[in-house]
Amino acid sequence: MKDTRKIAVIGAGRVGAATAYTLSLSALAGEIVLLDVDERRARGEALDIAHGLPLYAALEVKSGGYDDIANADLVIITAGVGQKSGETRMELLDRNRAVFASIVPEVVRSAPNAVLLVVTNPVDILTLETLRLSGLPAERVIGTGTVLDTSRLKYLLSRHTGVDPRNIHACVLGEHGDGEFVAWSRASIAGLSLDEYCAACGRCRGPMSEQVNRQFEQEVRRAAYEIIDMKGSTCYAIALAVRRIAEAILRDEHAILTVSTLAQGQYGLRDLCLSLPVVLGARGVERVLEPGLDRAERARLMAVAETHRAELKKDVRETVLV
């Protein structure tokens, strides 16, 4: 029986193309449509993927316009200005907000029942912007959040402990940006805190130290900057993060992932999209979770919220001045 599910990827740059390719390998949908303002680029990327389909998958990958994404189940937005070496994600905001103003209304017109997944940076604030522009229910507008950052953290902890990263339970919260933080108080392996595991495993030379925690957190936070400095962009790991989120949605997994979502009272916060753990299923966010944080972690979450509020207030002032 033909798979009738459809995924649209808006933006055929490095991230969009890597995302479309990764999704084609996943067999999550019967059709993947790639859109870009540069139609020739989108067609080239779609053809490059499609020419390999006879070797591994029965699905259709094509380029097209907004009318071609009608009835899409999932729309992934990767379009926008990419981050340059030395540039922070927040510095992309003004330019990418203008891009989203032209994209989101067209997406909603063409695929009004889709779940929207924002990848473009700064992803948490642009998720809020997408929610505002779309008028869709909050559960159907999400961002990739700190799914990639959490993966980077697990990679580092795996190398440190010698444990398969899929068996390490730890997460990065707050935002996909310079204010992100590791919820160390909630991290565990096999029901043991990281300190307990490391003290007992015979590999780590005692419990996790504050110095090691800071080092890992800094490595996670700086990872994108370093990769961009070395090769000009990041694309593969974020494409895999998108695939994991798409899998949770299209397979209705009720999986727990740290996506960007609207805070509706969690930690006393509202009207902001932050990277928090959620239960993710076919209609998007089913429930936003509120794990207990220690005092320092809660303070860091509040700092992220204040940074976002200040950025949003600045945008309002600039709009009034114009």
Side-chain angles (χ1 to χ4, degrees), residues 248-282:
I249 294 169
L250 294 175
R251 292 182 176 167
D252 197 19
E253 288 186 350
H254 315 290
I256 296 175
L257 293 168
T258 53
V259 300
S260 182
T261 188
L262 183 68
Q264 301 182 68
Q266 290 78 20
Y267 304 103
L269 299 171
R270 292 186 180 276
D271 303 323
L272 295 169
C273 283
L274 299 169
S275 295
L276 299 169
V278 310
V279 179
L280 202 58

Side-chain angles (χ1 to χ4, degrees), residues 165-214:
R166 293 169 297 179
N167 296 118
I168 294 172
H169 302 284
C171 62
V172 177
L173 300 178
E175 67 169 359
H176 178 58
D178 293 341
E180 67 187 30
F181 65 94
V182 177
W184 292 112
S185 67
R186 312 304 299 179
S188 66
I189 298 175
L192 302 172
S193 71
L194 291 185
D195 282 349
E196 290 171 334
Y197 182 85
C198 288
C201 75
R203 175 188 172 103
C204 302
R205 301 176 188 174
M208 297 276 287
S209 67
E210 285 294 326
Q211 182 179 357
V212 171
N213 288 1
R214 286 195 299 271

